Amino acid sequence: MDMTVRPRRLRKSDTLRRMVRETRMDKSSLIYPLFVKEGSQVEEEIPSMEGQYRYSIDRLPFELERLLKAGVDKVMFFGIPDVKDEVGSQAYAENGIVQRALREARKQFPEMYLITDVCMCEYTSHGHCGVLCGHDVENDKTLELLAKTALSHVEAGADMVAPSDMMDGRVGAIRRLLDENGHKDTPILSYAVKYASAFYGPFREAAGSAPSFGDRKSYQMDFHNRREGIKEALLDVQEGADIIMVKPALSYLDVIREVKERIQLPVAAYSVSGEYAMVKAGAKLGYIDEEKIVCEMAVSTYRAGADIYLTYFAKELAKFMDEGRIG
Ligand code: PBG
């Protein structure tokens, strides 16, 4: 055979394949989502997310320790309050669950980078991501509360805040309030490109945040749309976002790629609860190889353009990277 170009030449050995790899990953880009709740000695497994737990503040240090040991030094806190009301007042309470978790984590683990999810849905009695006017989520009134929540997180020790509510103008509102209070250097990771997705199902069970009526389609995006995602990302850039997130990850790789090409900011992707639950369930049934699937999902997300990866598999991925199985 007279053939000069043979792509297989570079696939001959593991050494060669590693040398020519186009996607490389690093543990420093992993963020682990963590649920904190009221009470003491609580470490309860989330039924739809085997291997994931809700922790009370006194048990939180054990998990943070395990994360640091694995080489994961960034977490995203989600709070599960005992009391919910119409206006989600525990979201911005001085002694709210996330605020106390932050103080504790800050004190015990100064090396841990603490990010908080800023949203109302875990705190409102109706489960929507903002305050209501009738059955409508009131955009502009919600902005004040989101900004207040973000500020209270930063004052309790958050290094970065991540608004996930999808109200219009929230990045700008948060940026302004943080700046006015001397937090000019605290970055905002915006869930800018967040779709109304069935992949959040297990999370809503985990956080008890399913809406009591209707759905989130009047604020989260329609998953038929890609250009709209770019519009949202560009708006958040203008409002002062520092990092743009696409969520979910697996079904949205095209969106990640496009955001990466169009936006001059780091891009994060969130592999959400439904992605985690599907892998766990499939592996348990013996239909798929969990480790290989987790690695392939992660690599494809980075290959699509993600610089930062939020995943419930962060500890496992860190280990796979250490062992040279991916990366
Ligand atoms: C809060 C929020 C949600 C998730 C992250 N922040 C739920 C939702 O929007 O309904 C989902 C995370 C996951 O599914 O892992 N708004």
Side-chain angles (χ1 to χ4, degrees):
M1 257 305 223
D2 184 20
M3 216 185 331
T4 48
V5 181
R6 288 181 181 271
R8 286 187 59 192
R9 251 181 236 132
L10 290 180
R11 297 182 203 134
K12 269 267 171 307
S13 69
D14 195 44
T15 307
L16 258 177
R17 288 192 293 271
R18 280 171 191 275
M19 185 169 92
V20 300
R21 248 174 204 171
E22 296 174 40
T23 305
R24 295 185 196 275
M25 302 173 307
D26 195 275
K27 288 191 288 188
S28 62
S29 65
L30 294 171
I31 301 175
Y32 182 67
L34 235 171
F35 300 96
V36 281
K37 66 171 290 177
E38 301 285 354
S40 65
Q41 298 296 312
V42 182
E43 186 170 334
E44 57 190 27
E45 193 166 25
I46 299 160
S48 53
M49 298 176 75
E50 206 183 302
Q52 301 302 310
Y53 297 81
R54 306 182 190 98
Y55 297 99
S56 54
I57 292 174
D58 57 338
R59 302 292 296 210
L60 189 60
F62 298 101
E63 179 58 16
L64 295 178
E65 186 97 47
R66 286 190 284 270
L67 284 159
L68 285 173
K69 226 182 195 154
V72 178
D73 63 356
K74 297 171 192 76
V75 289
M76 166 95 83
F77 281 144
F78 292 93
I80 307 168
D82 266 354
V83 193
K84 303 182 189 227
D85 59 29
E86 281 281 304
V87 291
S89 55
Q90 283 301 306
Y92 39 90
E94 159 100 36
N95 278 320
I97 180 70
V98 166
Q99 289 78 357
R100 279 185 290 125
L102 283 164
R103 281 187 216 110
E104 195 60 30
R106 183 78 303 146
K107 194 168 68 195
Q108 292 201 41
F109 300 95
E111 68 275 46
M112 192 53 115
Y113 196 82
L114 306 173
I115 309 169
T116 57
D117 180 88
V118 175
C119 194
M120 311 296 296
C121 64
E122 296 107 291
Y123 303 91
T124 50
S125 43
H126 44 75
H128 277 288
C129 301
V131 283
L132 296 181
C133 180
H135 271 190
D136 254 6
V137 175
E138 251 272 314
N139 194 88
D140 300 12
K141 266 202 205 121
T142 302
L143 297 186
E144 267 171 57
L145 302 183
L146 290 167
K148 243 164 91 170
T149 303
L151 178 61
S152 78
H153 289 175
V154 173
E155 289 182 338
D159 293 300
M160 181 184 278
V161 289
S164 69
D165 51 283
M166 288 300 280
M167 297 302 124
D168 293 335
R170 88 270 210 219
V171 170
I174 291 172
R175 185 72 275 158
R176 259 191 309 283
L177 194 66
L178 291 183
D179 289 357
E180 281 164 18
N181 286 275
H183 303 293
K184 287 199 165 54
D185 291 328
T186 303
I188 299 176
L189 189 176
S190 173
Y191 287 70
V193 190
K194 176 171 174 179
Y195 288 89
S197 170
F199 283 98
Y200 309 148
F203 173 96
R204 292 181 188 168
E205 188 202 311
S209 63
S212 60
F213 66 89
D215 52 38
R216 303 210 202 289
K217 289 182 183 163
S218 75
Y219 37 104
Q220 299 178 353
M221 275 189 299
D222 180 347
F223 57 75
H224 297 75
N225 301 346
R226 197 168 57 164
R227 270 183 311 172
E228 191 187 4
I230 304 306
K231 172 173 149 188
E232 283 284 3
L234 288 169
L235 269 172
D236 283 6
V237 172
Q238 272 174 26
E239 290 176 32
D242 299 280
I243 301 174
I244 293 294
M245 175 138 79
V246 177
K247 176 186 173 201
L250 193 57
S251 283
Y252 297 82
L253 299 180
D254 57 327
V255 181
I256 296 174
R257 167 53 42 190
E258 184 137 359
V259 168
K260 177 68 166 201
E261 280 168 7
R262 301 273 301 272
I263 307 292
Q264 306 304 313
L265 289 179
V267 177
Y270 193 151
S271 179
V272 299
S273 56
E275 300 177 41
Y276 177 86
M278 289 196 307
V279 173
K280 280 290 180 189
K284 202 169 171 182
L285 286 166
Y287 293 168
I288 54 166
D289 179 321
E290 178 173 322
E291 177 183 324
K292 289 188 175 136
I293 294 274
V294 168
C295 291
E296 200 170 323
M297 278 167 67
V299 171
S300 62
T301 306
Y302 285 97
R303 190 190 63 227
D307 303 292
I308 297 160
Y309 191 40
L310 287 96
T311 170
Y312 300 97
F313 286 115
K315 282 198 296 266
E316 289 80 353
L317 275 171
K319 180 165 159 263
F320 301 152
M321 290 180 196
D322 283 342
E323 292 168 356
R325 280 185 261 178
I326 43 163

